[in-house]
Amino acid sequence: MSEAAEAYPRIQRRTLHDEVLERLRDMIIEGRLEPGQRINEGAVGAQLGVSRTPLREAIKSLASEGLVEMQHAKGAAVRRFSVRDLREILEVTKSLEQLGGRIACVQASDAQIEAIAALHQRMMELYAQRNRLEYFKLNQAIHSAIVAAAGNAVLMETHETLQARIKRLRFIGNEGPAKWAGAVAEHEAMVAALSRRDGDALAAEIGKHMDHTLTRVSEVIV
């Protein structure tokens, strides 16, 4: 096979479960299903055009991610987080990302770092288009990719678990031009430090980004 042919990514066949899970997760992230709101399976299923069975499987997956709570005799509801919840999760997430960033600067391949930089460039294009949801998804993918580049499966799994729980909160933390621009500038500095393989600088930038995230999000939690 030629190099040109190998450069094309394979088409990924997505299951109905994957589609329903992503759509339901997006509804929570964007606030179409609000914190504390019970998930009406009939109404949401009709909106998505699916039966209750795949919807219930998606709800179970979101419950395992920490975005949904299963309430006895009441069904499922979107989880409501407090400022304290956010602070505790971000404290641990910050430490995990700083550790992952330091390791990645030492042992990640050039190809891995270039791939993260490419994700950042695509994210900047979405920022220019003001496409908040797709920007946010790529933003989170960059955080995950930096941790993954450390090559530690336990670190990556723990990080993914915590990151999933506060996706809605981090999404709303970028509401408003000033907050969004600030987050973008912090990502620029993070990727620049990674590209230089400067672990101390990357850890410092991650720390500032997480601290500012806590401030930005705390202002909008009700």
Side-chain angles (χ1 to χ4, degrees), residues 196-215:
R196 299 194 307 271
R197 292 183 179 272
D198 188 336
D200 290 340
L202 176 55
E205 295 297 343
I206 288 172
K208 286 189 288 186
H209 181 56
M210 289 298 184
D211 291 343
H212 292 164
T213 295
L214 175 59
T215 299

Side-chain angles (χ1 to χ4, degrees), residues 87 89-102 143 146 170 182-183 186-187 189-191 193 198-216:
R87 181 183 299 111
I89 292 172
L90 283 179
E91 282 178 353
V92 178
T93 304
K94 177 171 74 172
S95 296
L96 294 175
E97 291 194 11
Q98 287 176 320
L99 174 60
R102 289 182 186 278
H143 282 270
I146 291 173
R170 297 188 73 170
E186 291 156 17
H187 260 259
M190 287 165 52
V191 173
D198 188 336
D200 290 340
L202 176 55
E205 295 297 343
I206 288 172
K208 286 189 288 186
H209 181 56
M210 289 298 184
D211 291 343
H212 292 164
T213 295
L214 175 59
T215 299
R216 286 189 288 261

Side-chain angles (χ1 to χ4, degrees), residues 137-152:
K137 290 179 181 179
L138 208 51
N139 177 297
Q140 296 296 279
I142 290 169
H143 282 270
S144 296
I146 291 173
V147 172
N152 185 312

Side-chain angles (χ1 to χ4, degrees), residues 5-42:
E6 291 178 347
Y8 285 98
R10 291 174 177 264
I11 294 174
Q12 300 295 322
R13 291 182 174 84
R14 305 190 70 193
T15 65
L16 177 61
H17 173 74
D18 292 335
E19 293 287 350
V20 176
L21 177 59
E22 181 173 5
R23 292 284 296 279
L24 191 56
R25 187 188 292 117
D26 287 350
M27 292 174 74
I28 293 173
I29 291 172
E30 292 184 287
R32 286 180 281 166
L33 291 172
E34 298 179 351
Q37 179 179 344
R38 188 176 72 84
I39 299 176
N40 185 316
E41 293 181 2

Side-chain angles (χ1 to χ4, degrees), residues 55-74:
L55 183 60
R56 285 174 178 169
E57 291 302 314
I59 289 172
K60 289 179 183 178
S61 294
L62 291 177
S64 69
E65 291 181 12
L67 286 176
V68 167
E69 291 181 316
M70 307 303 292
Q71 301 176 334
H72 180 65
K74 293 183 179 180

